[in-house]
Amino acid sequence: MAKPKSKQSYAGGFLLLPAALLNCPKFRALSSSGVKLLIDIGSQYNGKNNGDLCAAWKIMHPKGWKSEATLNKAKKELLAAGFIALTRVGRLPNLCGLYGITWQPLNPSPKLDVGPNGFPVGAWAELPPAKSRKNAMTTTETVVARPRIATETVVEEHA
């Protein structure tokens, strides 16, 4: 009798990118450097270390990054889009900034500056405002348009 096959193991792990993340407009708008950095940061995730992911030049240069300016620009882009979140601010002399991927929950650690309640899980998703179906169907309120406020500066001349 043949031995049943066990689950396939992936040497070095793997990175799970949910289809919802890959298909969201924010992901589609990322630069190629932003996508590469997201993969490089995400490749450090092992299921138990979210929040302890590093994007320091000394770590990223061997992964093929050629410019610190491009790396920093990609970090800012991912932070602004909500795909990564800063979990520890870098400090002198030798303490690097740490990040977490926001499609996974934070794994708490004493070395992080943020706890699980302060970590923005799902920040990458564009969620419309929550509206209950019951309220939408039974509401009879009318929306009154507010008058626009002039934003131009008016200068009065006195004669």
Side-chain angles (χ1 to χ4, degrees):
M1 200 174 235
K3 186 176 182 181
K5 291 184 179 179
S6 64
K7 290 183 180 180
Q8 183 177 1
S9 74
Y10 296 94
F14 65 94
L15 175 62
L16 175 67
L17 294 171
L21 181 138
L22 295 172
N23 293 322
C24 83
K26 283 183 180 179
F27 183 82
R28 299 284 179 195
L30 286 177
S31 67
S32 57
S33 297
V35 173
K36 180 178 178 1
L37 183 59
L38 187 63
I39 291 170
D40 284 345
I41 289 174
S43 68
Q44 298 171 35
Y45 179 60
N46 66 16
K48 298 175 185 172
N49 66 337
N50 196 25
D52 192 9
L53 310 176
C54 183
W57 175 247
K58 287 184 179 183
I59 302 294
M60 293 299 158
H61 188 320
K63 292 181 180 242
W65 288 87
K66 303 292 182 205
S67 162
E68 284 187 72
T70 304
L71 176 64
N72 288 328
K73 185 177 175 183
K75 272 190 246 184
K76 288 177 185 176
E77 180 183 17
L78 293 178
L79 286 165
F83 289 105
I84 62 171
L86 187 65
T87 57
R88 182 179 76 186
V89 178
R91 299 176 191 96
L92 291 175
N94 283 332
L95 201 60
C96 66
L98 295 177
Y99 302 89
I101 52 177
T102 60
W103 64 92
Q104 295 291 334
L106 182 72
N107 299 109
S109 169
K111 65 180 171 180
L112 304 180
D113 293 338
V114 67
N117 294 336
F119 186 72
V121 176
W124 59 270
E126 293 181 342
L127 300 173
K131 195 176 200 182
S132 75
R133 185 179 176 132
K134 181 180 177 184
N135 288 343
M137 295 173 78
T138 60
T139 300
T140 57
E141 297 175 320
T142 55
V143 178
V144 178
R146 292 184 180 171
R148 289 189 173 195
I149 299 172
T151 57
E152 296 178 9
T153 305
V154 178
V155 178
E156 294 181 22
E157 294 182 19
H158 296 288

